[in-house]
Amino acid sequence: MAEGMRRRQATTVLIGAAGVALFWLLHLPLPFLFGPMIASLVAALMGARLAGLGQVSVAARSVLGVAIGAAVTPALVAQLPSMLASVAIIPFYIAAIGLVGVPFFRRVVGFDLVTAFYAAMPGGAADMTVFAAEAGANIRQVSLVHVTRLLVIMIVGPLVLVSVYGVELTHPVGQPAADMPPSELAIIAAAALIGWKAAERIGLFGAAILGPLILAMALSLAGVLHMRPPREALLAAQFLIGIGIGTSYVGVTLRELRETVAGGAVFVLILAVIAAAVTEFVTLTGLAPPVEGFLAFMPGGQAEMSMLALIAGADLSFVVVHHITRVILVLTGAPILFAVIRQRRP
């Protein structure tokens, strides 16, 4: 079985690399993200036996965590109070998504109540799937909805940034490793590994990204860490995130494509309307610059939105503060809210 898994993983990497090469040759945007994502998605839907890369993919999130933490400087901390007004909108934003999403999945897609509730919640895909399983939901439907949300957002988001906001997605994500001092590379590697494993040990949600983020932030504020991870590491993180999204569709049936995946895609359109309204509000009121407002209120995952912010050259800390707030509120509030709903409607 181990040998078979290694072959499937090798096949997945080769298909992802082919996607990168194709996007690169055709001069298509974000070849290290879109190339492996689209290639592995197409292969999965065609029945290819693909497999994720396990802890290697998780490690990619630790690289992003360090990149985010390194962006937190004393000058940035001084700006945090200016973000409070836009952060205060997030609970209302989550409530609007839930009030629209739960009835949509119940009445239009035909999910049961618990499945509809966790499919609609804009939290992390893995976290919502775990909560849904504990509550007795159909975890296959919940996971497919959330993966579809990430897939559509990662395709549509860059297109909107380019066509609506005029952003060029060519911002360098980091310096080449050869141009960085070995001591800085060692600090980055230590922050990624120690932060990840320490956060796992204490049971912190999103340990692979939040643990390194917190440790790198502390090192940055202390004047120990001065640079983001090297370009090669961040490109590898893009590659692994792309593969992770694509391989999530392995084994999807035509019925699931027609019902669950299609329902998830339509729900993203609903989310887009809500997110656009909130983005317009924070932009017109001066609570956020246009690009940062758009990225901060896109209902994607922390890792995916952080990567987009890096590529777009946006204020990474502004975007991350809003996404972490959203995820914390959903993770802490969703189980409590569902318990109240279940008491009222057994």
Side-chain angles (χ1 to χ4, degrees):
M1 289 182 66
E3 182 63 30
M5 177 59 71
R6 283 194 290 270
R7 281 199 297 268
R8 292 172 64 182
Q9 290 174 332
T11 300
T12 303
V13 171
L14 289 174
I15 289 173
V20 172
L22 180 61
F23 270 60
W24 188 278
L25 290 172
L26 296 178
H27 303 288
L28 295 174
L30 306 180
F32 283 89
L33 180 64
F34 279 177
M37 183 173 73
I38 299 302
S40 55
L41 169 66
V42 172
L45 294 178
M46 292 177 65
R49 292 175 59 79
L50 307 181
L53 301 187
Q55 292 296 294
V56 176
S57 293
V58 177
R61 295 177 177 267
S62 70
V63 173
L64 287 178
V66 175
I68 297 165
V72 180
T73 61
L76 174 66
V77 171
Q79 300 175 9
L80 287 178
S82 65
M83 302 182 191
L84 294 179
S86 57
V87 169
I89 297 172
I90 294 175
F92 303 98
Y93 174 59
I94 294 170
I97 290 174
L99 289 172
V100 173
V102 175
F104 169 79
F105 284 114
R106 284 283 286 136
R107 298 171 186 171
V108 178
V109 185
F111 289 176
D112 60 78
L113 178 61
V114 61
T115 302
F117 179 84
Y118 283 107
M121 288 295 101
D127 304 311
M128 292 301 97
T129 302
V130 170
F131 285 166
E134 292 177 353
N138 184 321
I139 59 172
R140 175 71 170 175
Q141 291 177 328
V142 171
S143 62
L144 280 176
V145 166
H146 284 291
V147 169
T148 301
R149 170 169 61 90
L150 292 179
L151 174 67
V152 176
I153 286 173
M154 290 306 292
I155 293 174
V156 174
L159 296 177
V160 172
L161 285 170
V162 172
S163 60
V164 176
Y165 295 101
V167 174
E168 293 186 3
L169 301 178
T170 56
H171 194 273
V173 294
Q175 296 184 41
D179 294 344
M180 297 175 64
S183 59
E184 198 77 13
L185 293 171
I187 292 170
I188 288 169
L193 182 60
I194 295 171
W196 169 22
K197 293 304 177 181
E200 264 189 356
R201 192 172 186 84
I202 65 174
L204 181 68
F205 78 90
I209 189 169
L210 287 184
L213 186 159
I214 294 168
L215 181 53
M217 179 176 64
L219 293 173
S220 176
L221 292 173
V224 176
L225 179 62
H226 310 92
M227 296 180 174
R228 291 175 182 167
R231 181 181 303 165
E232 295 87 347
L234 290 168
L235 290 177
Q238 289 184 44
F239 180 82
L240 292 169
I241 287 171
I243 280 179
I245 294 173
T247 54
S248 297
Y249 286 90
V250 170
V252 171
T253 64
L254 288 175
R255 180 176 180 179
E256 287 175 325
L257 277 175
R258 188 172 58 249
E259 298 175 0
T260 304
V261 174
V266 172
F267 180 56
V268 176
L269 299 179
I270 297 171
L271 290 177
V273 173
I274 298 173
V278 175
T279 301
E280 191 71 9
F281 175 78
V282 297
T283 300
L284 293 177
T285 55
L287 297 178
V291 173
E292 280 75 7
F294 172 74
L295 288 170
F297 288 96
M298 281 184 71
Q302 296 175 64
E304 292 79 13
M305 294 301 98
S306 300
M307 185 58 73
L308 272 186
L310 279 171
I311 296 167
D315 185 339
L316 182 60
S317 54
F318 184 92
V319 174
V320 170
V321 164
H322 287 72
H323 282 289
I324 289 178
T325 302
R326 169 174 60 85
V327 171
I328 289 174
L329 288 175
V330 172
L331 288 180
T332 55
I336 298 171
L337 179 58
F338 184 74
V340 172
I341 293 174
R342 176 166 270 179
Q343 283 182 351
R344 294 186 177 182
R345 295 183 61 183

